[in-house]
Amino acid sequence: MSGLDQASSHPSGRLRSRLRQPFFGALRACSSALASLPRLALDIALPTLCVSCREPVAGEGVCATCWAKLSFIAPPFCARLGIPFVYDPGPGLLSMQAIADPPAYQRARAAVRYDEVARTMVHALKYQDRSDLAPTMGRWMVRAGQELLGEADALIPVPLHWRRGWSRRYNQSGALASVMGKSANLPVIGNALHRVRPTLQQVGLSRADRALNVQGAFKVPPENKSIVQGRRIVLIDDVLTSGATVDACARALLRARAASVDVLVFSRVVDTLQAPI
């Protein structure tokens, strides 16, 4: 037996060992508390503010007043596009837009309408490094997309071109997908779909120009097709306006032999509450 083993087996050695354990435990607890002091001081000095009205708020990103202004999307809505209806026509009814111009994706769902508060949250996440909003927004999306997520095999965020990703430092759709993947216990495949050419900002473009802007912009590289093939995919994005971007993404995924593609976004533009056809 080595000297170290003899010392540890000696009664006095065992006593010292038992005395050291609570000491080191207390030391670790003190170290952890000291490490959290700067964050605590920052929280006290700079409390979290409502992303919309800048009033102090605890945790959720929006205050009670702005929460009341959010318009959450719930049935009745178009079974294909998720556009809200003015009355309930019964299950499975489609909007005139879904019948006249059906998208490549199967279904689209959104958590909220793209109103003033939702727009402020989206812009803060996308342009102001407010990644702390992603957990809240992602939870709302999970609730809105329960049907889609329950049938999905994987989540794929709408990708940024590498130049835009470099300038923004992160992809807001990827941040939302990460939150949702953990909540729904689904894999997030961030590298399956590529934006192979830079595109103009869609803001301000007409519906036709939006479709032309993203035409051919997305591709599943040959080495990634096996990741997509046969899988039921849910595309994740922050906003759905005309649907041109997610439609182009869905076409690329379906060309790579995805079994189906659904779309789940935080907010969608709704010009008017539509009647079913």
Side-chain angles (χ1 to χ4, degrees), residues 198-266:
T199 54
L200 299 173
Q201 292 280 0
Q202 296 279 65
V203 177
L205 299 181
S206 67
R207 177 178 291 271
D209 288 340
R210 285 172 180 265
L212 185 62
N213 185 38
V214 295
Q215 186 175 356
F218 301 95
K219 184 179 180 180
V220 177
E223 63 271 18
N224 291 344
K225 288 185 177 180
S226 61
I227 303 174
V228 170
Q229 186 172 357
R231 282 187 154 182
R232 297 166 296 181
I233 303 298
V234 175
L235 267 172
I236 306 299
D237 206 1
D238 53 355
V239 181
L240 193 156
T241 306
S242 69
T245 298
V246 290
D247 195 68
C249 289
R251 292 181 188 277
L253 291 167
L254 291 170
R255 284 195 296 268
R257 309 291 297 276
S260 65
V261 179
D262 290 317
V263 173
L264 183 54
V265 300
F266 170 67

Side-chain angles (χ1 to χ4, degrees), residues 96-148:
M96 291 181 286
Q97 181 180 336
I99 294 173
D101 187 20
Y105 52 85
Q106 191 67 26
R107 297 166 294 181
R109 298 290 183 267
V112 298
R113 296 180 65 179
Y114 191 62
D115 56 17
E116 180 182 355
V117 177
R119 180 172 59 251
T120 303
M121 294 182 73
V122 167
H123 285 196
L125 176 67
K126 185 181 293 188
Y127 303 120
Q128 300 170 18
D129 292 334
R130 286 295 305 273
S131 57
D132 58 294
L133 294 174
T136 298
M137 297 165 71
R139 286 196 301 271
W140 297 349
M141 292 170 69
V142 168
R143 183 174 61 184
Q146 286 181 355
E147 178 187 3
L148 277 57

